[in-house]
């Protein structure tokens, strides 16, 4: 898991390289799939709560790399690149959200219940809190994106992934 990237304390340079690499990979992932924000946001919040020293590295590297990506995009595509991402009107439909919720929520109820029980029982474990935080953020952002006309269930994939990881951890903890 991501936390191991921060916990390589044997060699400071090695740990720094892993931290920088993780930041760069997450930013690059955001360039490929713009709604890929649940994991980086969860890591940012988790790091702010549990690894304050690493937060400085995280914010510094992200700032430098994001500025570099923005400069490169501006040089290659001009202001149209940013206008297409930030200024494009977005149609939303609450009816679409309700219809999608009726379709996708029922099969997820057992996994959501497991996640809640898992959080209550094991929520004090910092490493497990990261995956729980990811699942909550993925569900929230997924619903936020799902309200958009033209979106599909793929905006919930991070939520599904988080729920299924938590379900696996829940099942593993039941055995031990």
């Amino acid at each position: 898991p991501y936390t191991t990237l921060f916990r390589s304390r044997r060699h400071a340079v090695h740990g720094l390289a892993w931290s920088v690499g993780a930041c760069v990979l997450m930013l690059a992932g955001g360039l490929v799939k713009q709604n890929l924000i649940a994991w980086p946001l969860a890591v940012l919040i988790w790091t702010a709560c549990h690894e304050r020293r690493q937060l400085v590295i995280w914010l510094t590297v992200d700032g430098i790399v994001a500025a570099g990506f923005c400069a490169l995009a501006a040089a290659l595509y001009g202001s149209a690149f940013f206008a297409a991402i930030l200024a494009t009107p977005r149609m939303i439909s609450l009816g679409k959200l309700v219809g999608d919720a009726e379709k996708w929520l029922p099969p997820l109820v057992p996994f959501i219940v497991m996640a809640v029980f898992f959080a209550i029982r094991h929520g004090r474990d910092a490493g497990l809190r990261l995956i729980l935080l990811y699942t909550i953020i993925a569900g929230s952002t997924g619903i936020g994106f799902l309200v958009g006309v033209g979106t599909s269930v793929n905006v919930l994939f991070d939520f599904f992934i988080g729920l299924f990881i938590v379900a696996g951890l829940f099942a593993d903890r039941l055995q031990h």
Side-chain angles (χ1 to χ4, degrees), residues 44-56:
L44 177 68
I45 293 168
W46 184 91
T47 304
C49 295
H50 298 285
E51 296 280 349
R52 294 281 173 111
R53 218 166 94 164
Q54 293 296 330
L55 181 63
V56 173

Side-chain angles (χ1 to χ4, degrees), residues 58-125:
W58 173 265
L59 293 174
T60 302
V61 170
D62 277 357
I64 292 168
V65 174
F69 283 150
C70 288
L72 180 62
L76 292 173
Y77 307 108
S79 62
F81 175 82
F82 300 102
I85 293 173
L86 301 173
T88 302
R90 183 161 172 90
M91 300 294 296
I92 61 170
S93 169
L94 293 178
K96 179 187 174 307
L97 176 64
V98 169
D100 286 342
E102 289 173 346
K103 181 178 181 179
W104 293 105
L105 189 58
L108 295 177
V109 168
F111 296 101
I112 293 169
V113 169
M114 267 191 265
V116 170
F117 282 125
F118 186 78
I120 291 168
R121 183 158 173 112
H122 302 289
R124 288 186 177 84
D125 183 315

Side-chain angles (χ1 to χ4, degrees), residues 25-34 36 65 69-70 73 81 85:
L25 285 173
M26 281 193 243
L27 279 171
L31 291 174
V32 174
K33 184 179 176 209
Q34 289 76 32
L36 186 65
V65 174
F69 283 150
C70 288
F81 175 82
I85 293 173

Side-chain angles (χ1 to χ4, degrees), residues 102-157:
E102 289 173 346
K103 181 178 181 179
W104 293 105
L105 189 58
L108 295 177
V109 168
F111 296 101
I112 293 169
V113 169
M114 267 191 265
V116 170
F117 282 125
F118 186 78
I120 291 168
R121 183 158 173 112
H122 302 289
R124 288 186 177 84
D125 183 315
L128 297 176
R129 265 194 299 239
L130 177 59
I131 194 63
L132 291 167
L133 186 59
Y134 163 66
T135 305
I136 291 166
I137 292 171
S140 302
T141 57
I143 289 169
F145 287 129
L146 197 59
V147 75
V149 173
T151 59
S152 67
V153 70
N154 70 335
V155 298
L156 293 174
F157 284 176

